[in-house]
Amino acid sequence: MTEKPICLIIGAGDYIGAAIARRFAKGGFHVVMGRRRGEMIAPLIAEIEAAGGSAQGFTWDARSEETATEMFAHVEAEIGPIEICIFNVGGNVRFPILDTTERVFRKVWEMCAYGAFLSGREAAKYMVERQKGSIFFTGATASVRGSSGYAAFASGKFALRGLAQSMARELGPENIHVAHLVIDAGVDTEFVRDRVRQAGKDPDNLPPDTLMNPDSIAEAYWTLHHQTRDGWTHELDIRPFAETW
């Protein structure tokens, strides 16, 4: 058990998830991280600990109800009460509708919506008892606008947004802050840089701040968590200053 407050990040990838972990560790939280390949978290844990923070990680399939139930119970019983749970699982794939198989559509929905439901429900189970906590979901442009080639992704993110709205209305009176962060921009990740290259552009020669720094997303989550409850934000959309929308 730790005396520090717990920040649980489900979908602790190499960019956004890692940035969130660093920010909350820097702010005095013990960061617990989960991703499908848990061994990939080790370098980030070492980095956080070298900077004076504390963190640990687990192999965590967000699409498994058994995993969600067992892992939330383990964190609560063996590590400490979860103060903030951030669901950051991706699912961004592009397929023309005629190439979108049943398997693709279902898998994206499982990552974006079903996994979010499982994590949100389990987090709420413990937070309602304490009448305290934050549950945040990472959304995207696809949460509010379906674009060509993104039928699966937009459907999953629309569902995630609806889940967040319903949970916020139900859990707000229980003193639980539920928020949905719409990232309306390309984030500076290797995945996005590859897409820029496929479009015939050099990601290193883009105008300044075309791609969003993952640290900016982490700072937005930090700010959300520290809002006073008489001024909670439910949905926050963020984008670079030059982004068209």
Side-chain angles (χ1 to χ4, degrees):
M1 298 290 287
T2 176
E3 295 182 357
K4 291 183 176 181
I6 303 296
C7 172
L8 172 62
I9 304 168
I10 301 167
D14 298 330
Y15 296 97
I16 296 174
I20 296 169
R22 295 187 193 100
R23 182 62 184 91
F24 277 83
K26 180 181 177 182
F29 282 74
H30 178 73
V31 180
V32 179
M33 297 171 281
R35 64 185 293 178
R36 278 186 291 176
R37 295 178 59 189
E39 70 277 5
M40 297 181 69
I41 302 175
L44 178 58
I45 294 173
E47 177 186 343
I48 289 172
E49 292 178 341
S54 61
Q56 61 193 109
F58 299 95
T59 295
W60 192 311
D61 184 353
R63 303 166 299 173
S64 166
E65 182 175 31
E66 181 179 7
T67 297
T69 302
E70 292 180 354
M71 291 307 300
F72 270 90
H74 174 76
V75 173
E76 286 278 338
E78 303 296 332
I79 303 174
I82 300 165
E83 181 169 317
I84 174 171
C85 174
I86 299 175
F87 184 84
N88 184 60
V89 175
N92 186 349
V93 295
R94 185 181 188 279
F95 284 95
I97 191 64
L98 297 183
D99 295 332
T100 302
T101 64
E102 183 276 338
R103 183 178 184 276
V104 165
F105 192 92
R106 176 167 46 83
K107 290 293 184 182
V108 173
W109 173 80
E110 286 178 347
M111 288 189 286
C112 294
Y114 181 62
F117 154 70
L118 293 174
S119 296
R121 184 192 66 184
E122 292 304 305
K125 182 187 300 182
Y126 297 97
M127 292 180 182
V128 166
E129 291 182 359
R130 291 190 288 269
Q131 292 285 287
K132 178 183 179 182
S134 296
I135 304 172
F136 296 158
F137 299 99
T138 300
T141 305
S143 301
V144 295
R145 185 175 72 244
S147 299
S148 174
Y150 291 94
F153 186 51
S155 296
K157 285 298 186 182
F158 264 63
L160 170 63
R161 188 186 189 206
L163 170 72
Q165 288 181 0
S166 294
M167 287 182 59
R169 289 183 168 94
E170 181 176 346
L171 298 176
E174 304 289 342
N175 197 33
I176 298 170
H177 185 185
V178 179
H180 177 242
L181 185 66
V182 178
I183 303 173
D184 185 27
V187 181
D188 194 358
T189 68
E190 190 55 38
F191 172 76
V192 172
R193 283 175 168 264
D194 280 342
R195 285 197 170 175
V196 172
R197 295 185 190 101
Q198 291 170 14
K201 300 178 182 179
D202 182 352
D204 292 325
N205 289 327
L206 294 174
D209 299 316
T210 297
L211 299 180
M212 186 180 292
N213 188 330
D215 290 341
S216 299
I217 299 169
E219 195 63 38
Y221 273 131
W222 178 260
T223 300
L224 280 171
H225 181 61
H226 288 87
Q227 289 179 326
T228 55
R229 67 179 184 176
D230 63 331
W232 276 348
T233 295
H234 167 63
E235 187 162 82
L236 176 67
D237 56 322
I238 59 174
R239 62 184 63 84
F241 74 99
E243 182 78 16
T244 55
W245 57 291

